[in-house]
Amino acid sequence: MTRLRLVTTAGFALVFIASITGCFGGSKRGSDDGVIEIVNASYDPTRELYQEINAAFIEDYQQKHGKAVKVTQSHGGSGSQARSVIDGLEADVVTLALAGDINAIAKKQLIRPDWEQHLPDNSAPYTSTIVFLVRDGNPKAIKDWDDLAKPGVKVITPNPKISGGARWNFLAAWGYVTLHKKGSDAEAQNLVGSIYRNVVKLDTGARGSAQTFIKNKLGDVFISWENEAILAQREVPNQKLAIIYPSASILAEPAVAVVAQYVDERGTRAVAEAYLRFLYTDAAQDIIGRNTYRPRNVEFLKKYAATLPTIPLFTIREVAGGWAEAQQRFFSDGGVFDQIYSLRK
């Protein structure tokens, strides 16, 4: 079995990285053996990324402070993870697909309202974008967003009510019309509505959609995180999947934050803050690029330019004004997505 298959989980179940974290049956935060444990609640496709980052951080922290650290991972749809933290998942840090999900936690006073100001680049240590993953030979001749709306094209994408990646997908298609093609909101709603009428399955998260497309071989095109598409190519080379870069896409900025209430209750703030600061170090930025996310450090971005090509990218602010506005307009109950999806035949 491939690594991509081995790490698949349903919903927002806890995923334990055995070589790094062990399990909850071992050392816990505040236990007598002196090991400091922190929990990182992350979104779907970051399992492989944080396996490497955790190992590097644990070694670095031990060398600098002489203290043993254990990092436990939790993965799921970004929106689901945010709700889990709100409902009691005692994460020390969150590393989610979008700032809007962290804002939702902050509204419950678990995270400081000024969290974006605590780290560089609005607390987004790397970026990504949205691409298309198609089957061998690209039989449906998919080249751009318009092609996803053509009759007979079967589209795979997660549910934007749950998945942060899916919200980036939705807004990338919307911005393609309103910003790249200078079209109207009505034209954007028409294209995006046609795309979602072609969706054959809405999974709860990006990794679930990847499995639907790769393992179950459902659909003609998977609207995907760039890193997830590259990983799929590497993990199942026999399928000869191809990545299609559209003429324009969105600058996705996954964000990170310390869950203030939980770290203060457990006395883990110092380690949690060090963990997030570590993401900006050269060691972590290199790991980020190697795992096909786009480093913020321009030197490492250049290093991986052959894998991460430059394409026209627009921002969430250009598309919707920001995540608060996007959430209210597009993804709240009765919002544009609900209106579009209710019209599916």
Side-chain angles (χ1 to χ4, degrees):
M1 295 180 70
T2 67
R3 180 176 60 179
L4 187 63
R5 294 177 183 177
L6 284 170
V7 298
T8 302
T9 60
F12 46 82
L14 286 176
V15 178
F16 301 108
I17 311 304
S19 63
I20 299 170
T21 64
C23 63
F24 276 126
S27 301
K28 299 184 180 182
R29 289 166 282 185
S31 63
D32 294 333
D33 63 4
V35 177
I36 305 168
E37 180 185 2
I38 61 172
V39 174
N40 175 8
S42 196
Y43 62 106
D44 251 343
T46 61
R47 294 169 174 86
E48 295 79 13
L49 171 65
Y50 281 109
Q51 284 180 19
E52 288 196 47
I53 284 179
N54 292 349
F57 170 73
I58 289 167
E59 181 179 358
D60 181 78
Y61 198 86
Q62 176 75 42
Q63 290 177 351
K64 290 179 178 177
H65 302 280
K67 295 180 180 179
V69 175
K70 179 182 292 186
V71 183
T72 298
Q73 287 300 125
S74 169
H75 292 275
S78 187
S80 294
Q81 291 291 76
R83 285 190 290 275
S84 294
V85 173
I86 291 169
D87 291 340
L89 174 60
E90 296 179 352
D92 299 86
V93 300
V94 289
T95 57
L96 297 180
L98 45 90
D101 287 330
I102 297 181
N103 286 334
I105 304 171
K107 287 181 180 179
K108 300 298 182 178
Q109 301 182 334
L110 298 174
I111 290 174
R112 292 179 178 176
D114 62 347
W115 64 270
E116 286 184 288
Q117 300 172 27
H118 290 189
L119 291 167
D121 302 307
N122 295 318
S123 293
Y126 56 88
T127 69
S128 190
T129 191
I130 303 303
V131 302
F132 311 142
L133 190 65
V134 300
R135 303 206 179 277
D136 183 16
N138 192 10
K140 295 298 177 75
I142 292 166
K143 297 179 181 178
D144 217 335
W145 292 99
D146 304 278
D147 298 317
L148 306 189
K150 291 179 178 178
V153 175
K154 297 178 181 178
V155 177
I156 301 296
T157 183
N159 186 344
K161 302 285 281 191
I162 302 171
S163 164
R167 276 171 268 176
W168 287 118
N169 295 354
F170 183 104
L171 294 170
W174 192 277
Y176 163 75
V177 176
T178 60
L179 296 171
H180 187 65
K181 296 184 71 176
K182 310 299 182 184
S184 66
D185 285 348
E187 290 171 321
Q189 185 154 338
N190 180 61
L191 176 68
V192 176
S194 296
I195 291 172
Y196 276 90
R197 282 190 287 276
N198 282 346
V199 171
V200 293
K201 185 178 182 183
L202 284 178
D203 288 287
T204 58
R207 184 54 58 90
S209 285
Q211 293 299 290
T212 293
F213 187 75
I214 298 161
K215 183 177 180 180
N216 301 333
K217 298 183 179 180
L218 183 64
D220 303 305
V221 55
F222 169 34
I223 309 176
S224 173
W225 287 103
E226 179 182 41
N227 57 282
E228 190 80 346
I230 296 170
L231 176 62
Q233 276 190 317
R234 292 175 178 176
E235 293 294 335
V236 288
N238 59 305
Q239 291 194 28
K240 299 180 180 179
L241 302 171
I243 297 173
I244 305 297
Y245 282 85
S247 60
S249 193
I250 196 163
L251 177 66
E253 299 178 285
V256 303
V258 169
V259 186
Q261 179 166 318
Y262 295 144
V263 298
D264 289 341
E265 287 175 355
R266 290 168 180 75
T268 56
R269 176 178 287 277
V271 176
E273 290 181 346
Y275 181 73
L276 295 188
R277 288 195 301 269
F278 181 76
L279 298 175
Y280 293 85
T281 65
D282 286 355
Q285 290 286 298
D286 195 30
I287 292 170
I288 285 165
R290 188 162 63 245
N291 280 270
T292 64
Y293 295 82
R294 296 181 175 232
R296 287 291 194 179
N297 185 307
V298 294
E299 294 304 315
F300 288 101
L301 185 59
K302 290 178 183 177
K303 178 179 178 178
Y304 294 100
T307 306
L308 306 169
T310 299
I311 64 169
L313 299 174
F314 43 79
T315 69
I316 176 64
R317 293 167 186 83
E318 293 172 310
V319 176
W323 273 112
E325 296 86 349
Q327 180 63 35
Q328 179 62 33
R329 180 182 179 190
F330 294 105
F331 309 117
S332 62
D333 291 344
V336 173
F337 172 74
D338 283 351
Q339 297 168 28
I340 285 172
Y341 207 67
S342 68
L343 297 176
R344 280 170 51 93
K345 294 181 180 179

